[in-house]
Each structure stands twice: as structure tokens, then as C-alpha cells.
Amino acid sequence: MTAPPADVPLDLPDAQLPGVLGAALAGLYTGEPRLPARPGGRAAGLAALHAWTGAGYRERNHLSGNVSRLSMYLRHGMIGIREVAAPARHVLRGREQDEFLRQLTWGEFFRLVLRQEGARVLDNLEEPKYPARWTDALPDDVRAARTDLPCVDAWVTHLIRDGWLHNHERLWFAAYLIHWRAVHWRAGYAFFREHLLDGDIASNALSWQWVASTFSNKPYFMNQENIERFSGSRWCRTCTANCPFRGSYEELEARLFSGRLPEEALSGEAGAPPRAAPAEEPAAEVVPAPIQPTGLASPRVVWVHGDGLSVTDAALSACPDAPALFVFDRPFLSGVPIAFPRLAFMYQGVRDLAAARRAPTHARVGAVAGELAAFARAYGAGELHVTRNFTPEFTRILAGVRAAHPDLRVVVHEPERLTSYDGPVRRFFGFWKKVEREVLQGAPSPDAPRRGHR
Ligand SMILES: Cc1cc2nc3c(=O)[nH]c(=O)nc-3n(C[C@H](O)[C@H](O)[C@H](O)COP(=O)(O)OP(=O)(O)OC[C@H]3O[C@@H](n4cnc5c(N)ncnc54)[C@H](O)[C@@H]3O)c2cc1C
């Protein structure tokens, strides 16, 4: 049997990515093709994990705090959430350890909300908690980093240049856009999606909704003192702008929200959204049977997607000898292109895993369902294995595969989780109380954070 030709060669050196990958993906990205600020791939992810000491994580809310910057590797499954939690439990101590594991748990919480709500996470999950009148478009001066506010312009510049922002900068920028500029959170979500290397529907959309108060009990906002304190006065020291963030929280609240906000959540699940109907039913699928070792003439193929770009991915681990395919989703990316560095970052992940596998791995550009069906036929496969993700596209693509290749058996493997909790999710605090002991593997340290800053 001859291997089907791969559209995108998986041995391109980094120097050729802007040229060769840029040409293969023409029309699917914004801006100039250039390399990501940090290299993608499992090797780079593991190197970043091992290089991070975690010392000083307790100061994580300060821009100078020693945060891990592992989000882009976690997002694409280049390293696993348990793989990150395990060394943190050994290396970090006391409150520092608890805080880090708690932050990791935010990511799991958001994924579980996505699993529960499906595509609804892209709409207001709740009514805003103040009389909001938002416009839809991202203002040109914001996109161009020409607001005349040095801090805001720096956040935009860093977002585009690095594909990453500190959590506090993300919160400040989101609050600025939604509350000061009265722009709908969806425009901010789309801007982040375009540029973040860790851009992810769950953490991104739900964090924006958390700031907007459509997934929280009140809007998040900050004042100039807060920015100055947590940025080490990085911008304020020399700033001559007419600062819109200046004022007490009471003054800003009156100015931004036409008066008082609702009282803070009473506790736990209070003020949580009403229970919604379950998200769109997943298409009928087969869960994995015990895996038998297979030879090279395997009747299986594996679909590798952007959440599992590592040989440790569940479907790839289960089928080490099966040919695997990654597809750059042409119809999807033509509709909502993203900046090139993110595509190159993913390419580097696929390239790493192709080099690490003994079975063939291919990358193509096209419509995912059709490409998968053709790939399975070309290899004479009777089974397609894949690791589940909770995005609306996943369900849509599997339905497309079934339509294009009704005889193909689809076997869905479960992704790695940090917790075993499988009930409904509503607010982080309530979720945390249920999983805290499992995540921390014991009682919290005496000075562990309670509710506080997210
Ligand atoms: C408006 C907005 C949009 C965001 N969009 C994304 C996104 O698209 N993808 C994304 O991974 N994170 C997103 N975040 C969450 C958070 O800002 C990043 O995960 C974090 O800044 C990544 O840096 P780090 O790896 O150094 O984090 P660390 O503090 O070192 O935390 C370790 C890991 O825990 C997880 N994590 C930490 N904080 C959060 C959090 N608040 N929410 C969810 N997960 C968290 C991440 O996987 C992170 O890599 C967003 C936050 C805001 C306010």
C-alpha cells in the first residue's frame, strides 16, 4: 500500500516556515508569516516545564511574578495537565503549590463548562449585571495600539508580538475594552483568539464573560492604583495621558456602571446561572475497547487535532502503529483566520510528533471531515481513533466523517483530566470546593488563597 501524499511536508526547518508553510496556508492567517515568539512542540514544552522553578509564584499577580508561561503548551496538549501538576506537587511548597494547582484547575473548570454548555459559551451565558450597551466592533485605535494610553498600547503590542499576556494584563485589557470602551466581549475574545498562542475557546470566551459579568456575579474592573501596583509602575511612572483609570473603586463604579453594582455573590453557587438544557448531543460514537497491539498493516488511523499535539495524546498512545493525520481546517480558518505564529506553533507540534512516531504522520490543508475520510480509505482503515475535545467543531467534524465514510468506525478516547468530577459546573468556587482535596492531594495549606483574585 502506498502512503497518500501529504500536502505539507513535516520536515521543514524553522527558517523555512514563514516561506513554505506561509505559502501552503495562504489566505488562512492574518499579518505577515513569522515564527512564534516561543517554539512549539513537545520538546520545547518539556524544556519550558523543566526550566520553571516556580519560586516566587505567590507573587503571580504582579507582572514581575514568576508565572510558568506554560499555557501555550498545555493548550495544544504538547504537555499534559497531570504532567505539569506532578512536578509542581514536588517542587512547590505550601501556599505557592496550592495557588499553582488552583490556577491549573481554572483551566479544567472552563473546559468542563464548555463541555456542558457547548457553543453557548460564545453567547452571553447570563444577563450582564449592569445596564450594558456594547458595540460590536473592535475600535481601530485599539487594534493599532494607538489609544494614547501607554499601558493599553503595550498590552496590544505584546499580545501581537508575543502571542501571550500575563493574566493580569488580560484582565485589565478586557475590562478596558468592555467597560471603558463599551465593546462587546466577543470582539475582545476574537482579537485574543487571533493572536494568543494559547487561544482556546473555553478559557478565552469564559474569561471574557467573567470580566463582562455574563458569567460572574459582577463585572471585573480595576483602577490606576491597581495597574501601577501590579505592574511595578511600568507605565504610570512616565505616563502623561489623561488616565481614565484614575479614581477610587466607588468613583469608577458610579462612572462605568451608572451607579451601584449588585452585592458580591453571597457564597458558592449563589447567583449562578440557571441550569441550561444540556449542550448539543454528541454524535453517536464508540468508546474505546481494550486496545490490541497492531502491526503496520493496521486497519486504524488516528486523527490528531490541535488539543493533542504530542505522542502522549490518548488516541496516539493507544495506536502507536497507526498512520495519523493532522489537518489545517481550511473552511474554518478562511472564515476566522488567526495570526501565522499560532499556525507555525502548531506545525512545530505536529513536526515533533511525526519525528517521534514509528508510524507515518501526515499534515494537510483542507476540510477536516473529507480529508479524514479520504485518509482512512487510502490506508484501508476500518477505524478512526481520536481524543475527544469539547469544541463545537469536534462534534461537527465527526458528523461529517460519518456522512463521508459511513463504514468507518469512530473510536473516541477521553482526554487527560486533572480531576474526576463529572457533575454540573456553575461557578469556580463551588467547583473548587468539590475538587480541592483531589487536586491538592490533601488539605489546603493554612495560608492558601480563599476566594480572592482569579
Ligand atoms: C480575558 C482573558 C482571556 C484568557 N484567555 C485564555 C486562553 O485563551 N487560553 C488560556 O490558556 N488561558 C487564558 N486566560 C487565562 C490566563 O490568563 C492564562 O492561562 C495564563 O495567563 C497563562 O499564563 P501562565 O501559563 O504563565 O499561567 P500560570 O499562572 O503559570 O498557570 C499555569 C496554568 O494554569 C492555567 N491557568 C492559569 N490561570 C488561569 C485562568 N485564570 N484561567 C484558565 N486557566 C488558567 C493555564 O493553563 C496556565 O498555563 C485568559 C484570561 C483572561 C482574563
Side-chain angles (χ1 to χ4, degrees), residues 15 83 172 240 252 309 327 341 371-372 378 383 419:
E83 203 168 22
W172 292 330
T240 53
L252 290 175
L309 298 181
V327 185
E371 292 290 345
L372 288 170
E383 285 181 2
T419 73

Short mmCIF file of all heavy atoms in Angstrom, two decimals, residues 15 83 172 240 252 309 327 341 371-372 378 383 419:
data_model
loop_
_atom_site.label_atom_id
_atom_site.label_comp_id
_atom_site.label_asym_id
_atom_site.label_seq_id
_atom_site.Cartn_x
_atom_site.Cartn_y
_atom_site.Cartn_z
N ALA A 15 13.50 27.89 9.79
CA ALA A 15 13.77 29.02 8.89
C ALA A 15 12.86 29.00 7.67
O ALA A 15 12.59 30.05 7.07
CB ALA A 15 15.24 28.98 8.47
N GLU A 83 1.03 16.08 33.86
CA GLU A 83 2.48 16.15 33.74
C GLU A 83 2.99 17.45 34.37
O GLU A 83 4.11 17.51 34.87
CB GLU A 83 2.79 16.14 32.24
CG GLU A 83 4.13 15.71 31.84
CD GLU A 83 4.18 15.47 30.32
OE1 GLU A 83 3.34 16.04 29.57
OE2 GLU A 83 5.04 14.73 29.89
N TRP A 172 -6.96 43.37 32.72
CA TRP A 172 -7.02 44.83 32.55
C TRP A 172 -7.51 45.19 31.15
O TRP A 172 -8.36 46.06 30.98
CB TRP A 172 -5.64 45.45 32.77
CG TRP A 172 -5.11 45.39 34.17
CD1 TRP A 172 -5.84 45.38 35.33
CD2 TRP A 172 -3.73 45.32 34.57
NE1 TRP A 172 -5.01 45.32 36.41
CE2 TRP A 172 -3.70 45.29 35.99
CE3 TRP A 172 -2.52 45.31 33.90
CZ2 TRP A 172 -2.51 45.24 36.72
CZ3 TRP A 172 -1.34 45.26 34.62
CH2 TRP A 172 -1.34 45.22 36.01
N THR A 240 1.86 60.54 30.76
CA THR A 240 1.32 61.90 30.79
C THR A 240 -0.12 61.93 30.27
O THR A 240 -0.69 62.99 30.07
CB THR A 240 2.19 62.84 29.91
OG1 THR A 240 2.27 62.24 28.60
CG2 THR A 240 3.58 63.03 30.49
N LEU A 252 -15.22 54.98 40.18
CA LEU A 252 -15.24 54.31 38.87
C LEU A 252 -16.52 53.51 38.69
O LEU A 252 -17.11 53.48 37.61
CB LEU A 252 -14.02 53.40 38.72
CG LEU A 252 -12.69 54.14 38.58
CD1 LEU A 252 -11.52 53.14 38.57
CD2 LEU A 252 -12.64 54.97 37.30
N LEU A 309 -1.27 17.63 20.50
CA LEU A 309 -0.08 17.61 19.65
C LEU A 309 1.12 17.04 20.40
O LEU A 309 2.13 17.72 20.61
CB LEU A 309 0.21 19.01 19.13
CG LEU A 309 -0.91 19.59 18.25
CD1 LEU A 309 -0.54 20.98 17.74
CD2 LEU A 309 -1.21 18.67 17.08
N VAL A 327 -4.98 18.04 10.20
CA VAL A 327 -5.49 18.86 9.10
C VAL A 327 -5.62 20.32 9.54
O VAL A 327 -6.27 20.60 10.56
CB VAL A 327 -6.88 18.36 8.62
CG1 VAL A 327 -7.33 19.15 7.39
CG2 VAL A 327 -6.86 16.87 8.31
N PRO A 341 1.90 33.05 13.57
CA PRO A 341 2.73 32.38 14.58
C PRO A 341 2.02 31.21 15.26
O PRO A 341 2.64 30.19 15.57
CB PRO A 341 3.04 33.50 15.58
CG PRO A 341 3.01 34.74 14.75
CD PRO A 341 1.91 34.52 13.74
N GLU A 371 -11.04 15.14 4.47
CA GLU A 371 -9.64 14.67 4.48
C GLU A 371 -9.50 13.40 5.31
O GLU A 371 -8.78 12.47 4.92
CB GLU A 371 -8.71 15.76 5.03
CG GLU A 371 -8.57 16.99 4.15
CD GLU A 371 -7.79 16.70 2.86
OE1 GLU A 371 -7.12 15.66 2.78
OE2 GLU A 371 -7.87 17.53 1.94
N LEU A 372 -10.19 13.35 6.44
CA LEU A 372 -10.09 12.16 7.30
C LEU A 372 -10.68 10.94 6.62
O LEU A 372 -10.11 9.84 6.65
CB LEU A 372 -10.80 12.41 8.64
CG LEU A 372 -10.09 13.37 9.60
CD1 LEU A 372 -11.01 13.73 10.77
CD2 LEU A 372 -8.79 12.76 10.13
N ALA A 378 -7.58 5.65 1.99
CA ALA A 378 -6.27 5.42 1.37
C ALA A 378 -5.48 4.37 2.14
O ALA A 378 -4.70 3.62 1.55
CB ALA A 378 -5.49 6.73 1.32
N GLU A 383 -11.14 1.77 11.22
CA GLU A 383 -11.39 2.55 12.45
C GLU A 383 -10.63 3.86 12.40
O GLU A 383 -9.46 3.90 12.00
CB GLU A 383 -10.89 1.77 13.67
CG GLU A 383 -11.77 0.62 14.06
CD GLU A 383 -11.24 -0.09 15.31
OE1 GLU A 383 -10.21 0.35 15.88
OE2 GLU A 383 -11.86 -1.09 15.69
N THR A 419 -9.07 16.27 37.40
CA THR A 419 -10.00 15.83 38.45
C THR A 419 -10.91 14.75 37.87
O THR A 419 -11.03 14.60 36.66
CB THR A 419 -10.89 16.99 38.92
OG1 THR A 419 -11.86 17.28 37.89
CG2 THR A 419 -10.09 18.24 39.22
#
